[in-house]
Amino acid sequence: MSKDRSFASKLAKAAHLSSRHCPECGELYRTLKVVRTVKDETKNSWRFKENFVSICKCNEAEYLS
């Protein structure tokens, strides 16, 4: 049986992941994709480093400022 790849299943998955609450402020976490540039000293070039960060009121100023 193949995997369900419909848009509705992707929305359901995204809604399920955001149901976590911050233990300090009690707000729901929002997921944000952060892209940073990193210099590779061995090749003397730049590359991108991508990661997903959970944001609430506690760390909002750190990423959204």
Side-chain angles (χ1 to χ4, degrees):
M1 180 176 266
S2 65
K3 188 176 183 180
D4 185 21
R5 296 184 181 180
S6 66
F7 184 69
S9 67
K10 291 178 184 179
L11 283 178
K13 181 180 178 183
H16 176 65
L17 292 176
S18 66
S19 64
R20 298 181 333 193
H21 291 275
C22 176
E24 295 177 15
C25 66
E27 186 178 322
L28 285 173
Y29 282 120
R30 294 176 293 166
T31 305
L32 180 71
K33 183 177 183 179
V34 178
V35 180
R36 295 185 177 151
T37 55
V38 180
K39 182 157 178 119
D40 188 5
E41 297 297 332
T42 59
K43 297 179 182 178
N44 197 22
S45 62
W46 293 88
R47 63 185 181 96
F48 296 107
K49 185 173 183 179
E50 301 175 354
N51 60 345
F52 290 92
V53 178
S54 296
I55 294 186
C56 65
K57 286 190 177 186
C58 301
N59 62 357
E60 182 177 43
E62 182 181 333
Y63 290 102
L64 299 178
S65 61

